[in-house]
């Protein structure tokens, strides 16, 4: 088992390294010298040269990459070429907001998907099961930001039940934090719960045909009891996989949701930076988003190994 | 003909017909501003009402279908043309080629379409081309994986052994024997990827990073509706329904095709 976990870790490190190269390649090498971009089109060569010296972009690319990469590991993203301020404290501030949003959304999605998916599987021959499946098909087709718009339009602006947008840190005013986060979390969780539910349903259906479940039934357990006692653990493995994939989707989905609900997270920071053509900030935020995704994949891979006795026994 | 296939084909067909129709006929000019008729509810003159600038919403929905389909077709095309050969190559060659291709796919998978598109937009500015390139590139790993998995299965079969025994060249084997066997899987993947591309394009346009105005796109219509979410939600609901119809159509089509081509895979899915 340890060897497996070690392998996962090694793969994470290699992928992370490769991802930094990809991000650096796209954001730093493709567009050309950031100094020229920052100086504007009418700048004289002297100004560009001076800026390049200031930014350190006159040095060879490998040196610049190492500079950026070693900074990343220390949590130092450098100074924005546009706003001339330190990027790291901003990222640290925003990442908390985004993680709260995404984690709550994932929990809500699972809280909806697992019971409903199991129910849809157990009742797959009945109308209620088919109805749940049909609803999930509809849910998948409604992107999170669209659900968000509809929620704002109806729940906030029409009915006036909840604020339409904004963000209050939980430490400041917890009641207000909850009231403001209900809609964005719901919008974000909606699609995910529909997707995860389909996987839960097919995973549970799969286990329902297994021999050990028939044995449990023969022992006298009711279908639901047999499933809860013996089936869910086995169904958990494919569900865990899809959860990790969906977490990545949530992180990027949150970028759009933050725009709908005016939430000051990484997504808003990213979009503002894109608007200002602040490439180093874009580069940093993208890297943070990718790193979070990879980290979650790693955690799920490790959990996977711990959860599945067959994998534990291997190696 | 199963239900998913039927419903999916109908919805996709609707979007295609709407897009084609928009080239031949639209009730109004999609970009002409007419403040006298702004924010109107559906009527005999304006079947689906008008937006805040008095533009006919029905016309804009029709014309918006073009961008949705264009981005979908081109980005899926990019993904098929790059991903499939890579996947087949990896599956036939095995060894280092396979390892490198598949690790490369893993790395690219860490970059969702939307994130890649935002990066491209930061560098090259918002445009349809950079959106298509980003969404297409982000969809390559999916095709590479599906093609590799299928190739590995096919390579164990006896007709491949026979073809190799007859010392046919690898390229010929790939084209004559492997590719036709992957067709079903690849078509399913196309449909699923198309739905994702529609979603990514809509999100991107909503963020103002997709197709620039004045060309109407459903995502941008959602963005333009922002100030009217409370007072005139129709402006948001119409493009929203259009996006949902397109996504649902391609998803259902993918499910339906899966049931048809691969009954074993389809078991347990809605």
């Amino acid at each position: 088992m340890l060897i497996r976990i070690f392998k996962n870790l090694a793969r994470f490190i290699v992928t992370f390294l490769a991802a930094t190269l990809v991000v650096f390649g796209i954001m730093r090498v493709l567009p050309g010298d950031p100094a020229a971009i920052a100086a504007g089109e009418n700048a004289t060569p002297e100004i560009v040269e001076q800026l390049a010296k200031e930014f350190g972009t006159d040095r060879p690319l490998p040196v610049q990459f190492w500079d950026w990469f070693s900074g990343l590991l220390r949590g130092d993203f450098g100074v924005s070429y546009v706003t001339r301020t330190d990027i790291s404290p901003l990222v640290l501030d925003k990442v908390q907001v985004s993680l709260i949003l995404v984690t709550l959304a994932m929990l809500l999605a699972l809280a909806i998907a697992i019971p409903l998916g199991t129910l849809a599987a157990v009742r797959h021959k009945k109308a209620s099961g088919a109805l749940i499946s049909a609803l999930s098909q509809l849910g998948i087709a409604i992107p999170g930001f669209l659900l968000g718009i509809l929620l704002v339009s109806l729940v906030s602006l029409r009915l006036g039940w909840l604020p339409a947008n904004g963000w209050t840190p939980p430490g400041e005013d917890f009641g207000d934090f909850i009231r403001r986060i209900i809609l964005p979390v719901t919008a974000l969780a909606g699609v995910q719960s529909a997707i995860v539910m389909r996987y839960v349903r097919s995973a549970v259906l799969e286990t329902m045909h297994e021999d050990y479940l028939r044995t449990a039934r023969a022992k006298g357990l009711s279908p639901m009891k047999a499933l809860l006692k013996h089936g869910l653990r086995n169904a958990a493995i494919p569900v865990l996989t899809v959860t990790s994939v969906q977490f990545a989707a949530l992180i990027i989905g949150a970028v759009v949701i933050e725009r709908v609900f005016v939430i000051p997270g990484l997504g808003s920071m990213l979009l503002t930076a894109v608007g200002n053509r602040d490439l180093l900030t874009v580069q940093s935020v993208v890297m943070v988003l990718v790193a979070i995704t990879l980290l979650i994949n790693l955690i799920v891979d490790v959990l996977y190994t711990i959860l599945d006795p067959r994998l534990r026994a291997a190696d | 003909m199963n239900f998913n296939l039927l419903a999916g084909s109908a919805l996709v067909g609707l979007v295609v017909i709407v897009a084609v129709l928009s080239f031949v006929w639209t009730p109004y000019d999609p970009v002409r501003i007419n403040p006298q008729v702004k924010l109107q509810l559906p009527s005999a003159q304006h079947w689906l009402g008008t937006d805040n600038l008095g533009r006919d919403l029905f016309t804009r929905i029709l014309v918006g279908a073009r961008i949705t389909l264009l981005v979908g077709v081109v980005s899926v095309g990019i993904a098929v043309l790059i991903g499939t050969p890579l996947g087949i190559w990896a599956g036939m060659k095995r060894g280092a080629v396979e390892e490198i291709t598949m690790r490369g796919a893993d790395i690219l998978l860490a970059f969702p379409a939307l994130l890649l598109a935002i990066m491209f937009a930061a560098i090259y500015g918002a445009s349809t081309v950079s959106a298509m390139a980003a969404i297409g590139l982000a969809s390559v790993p999916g095709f590479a994986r599906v093609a590799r998995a299928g190739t590995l299965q096919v390579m164990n079969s006896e007709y491949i052994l026979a073809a190799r025994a007859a010392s046919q060249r690898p390229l010929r084997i790939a084209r004559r024997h492997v590719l036709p066997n992957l067709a079903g899987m690849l078509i399913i993947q196309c449909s699923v990827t198309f739905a994702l591309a529609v979603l990514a394009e809509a999100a991107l346009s909503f963020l103002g990073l997709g197709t620039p105005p004045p060309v109407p796109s459903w995502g941008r219509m959602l963005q333009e509706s922002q100030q009217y979410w409370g007072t005139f939600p129709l402006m948001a609901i119409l493009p929203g329904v259009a996006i949902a119809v397109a996504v649902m159509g391609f998803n259902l089509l993918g499910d339906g095709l899966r049931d048809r081509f691969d009954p074993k895979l389809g078991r347990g899915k809605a």
Side-chain angles (χ1 to χ4, degrees), chain B residues 39-265:
Chain B
L39 299 176
Q40 289 195 348
L41 287 168
S43 64
Q45 283 81 42
H46 297 280
W47 293 352
L48 294 178
T50 59
D51 70 3
N52 57 321
L53 300 174
R55 294 173 295 194
D56 182 54
L57 281 170
F58 182 57
T59 305
R60 289 176 69 76
I61 292 286
L62 292 187
V63 178
R66 293 182 200 168
I67 286 291
T68 299
L69 288 181
L70 175 72
V71 172
V73 168
V74 174
S75 49
V76 170
I78 292 172
V80 176
L81 290 179
I82 300 177
T84 312
L86 277 178
I88 295 180
W89 193 38
M92 287 179 70
K93 267 262 176 181
R94 309 301 306 266
V97 171
E98 186 179 27
E99 193 60 28
I100 292 170
T101 320
M102 290 302 118
R103 285 297 85 76
D106 283 350
I107 292 158
L108 206 52
L109 272 183
F111 296 87
L114 197 57
L115 192 60
L116 213 53
I118 290 173
M119 286 163 84
F120 281 18
I123 304 168
Y124 303 111
S127 79
T128 316
V129 174
S130 70
M132 292 187 296
I135 298 171
L137 207 58
S139 311
V140 167
F143 280 92
R145 285 186 158 188
V146 166
R148 172 182 158 271
T151 305
L152 287 181
Q153 271 178 13
V154 174
M155 289 307 279
N156 283 328
S157 60
E158 277 157 13
Y159 52 84
I160 295 285
L161 198 66
R164 290 167 97 175
S167 63
Q168 283 190 6
R169 277 201 304 260
L171 203 62
R172 189 181 154 86
I173 295 180
R175 218 181 46 232
R176 290 285 303 268
H177 302 291
V178 179
L179 194 57
N181 278 296
L182 299 184
M185 285 168 141
L186 290 175
I187 290 169
I188 295 166
Q189 182 69 15
C190 280
S191 195
V192 174
T193 309
F194 208 113
L196 291 175
V198 170
L199 275 178
E201 192 280 328
L204 207 56
S205 293
F206 172 71
L207 296 176
L209 299 175
T211 306
V215 181
S217 73
W218 295 341
R220 180 165 286 277
M221 287 171 74
L222 277 178
Q223 187 207 32
E224 288 163 349
S225 74
Q226 186 144 17
Q227 287 172 336
Y228 303 93
W229 289 348
T231 50
F232 195 69
L234 190 68
M235 256 181 88
I237 291 170
L238 289 174
V241 169
I243 293 166
V245 163
V247 174
M248 186 142 68
F250 283 102
N251 273 335
L252 285 173
L253 192 62
D255 283 352
L257 290 168
R258 187 173 294 135
D259 293 344
R260 194 178 177 84
F261 282 118
D262 192 351
K264 199 165 145 274
L265 257 177

Side-chain angles (χ1 to χ4, degrees), chain A residues 68 77 87 91 279-289:
Chain A
W68 177 65
F77 297 108
I87 297 170
V91 168
L279 295 189
L280 189 62
T281 303
V282 174
Q283 187 176 326
S284 313
V285 177
V286 166
M287 203 53 236
V288 172
L289 293 175

Side-chain angles (χ1 to χ4, degrees), chain A residues 18 26 137 153 157 198 201 277, chain B residues 107 122-123 229-230 255 268:
Chain A
I26 294 178
Q137 189 64 263
S153 173
L157 301 173
R198 278 161 59 101
R201 179 177 177 272
R277 301 216 62 187
Chain B
I107 292 158
I123 304 168
W229 289 348
D255 283 352

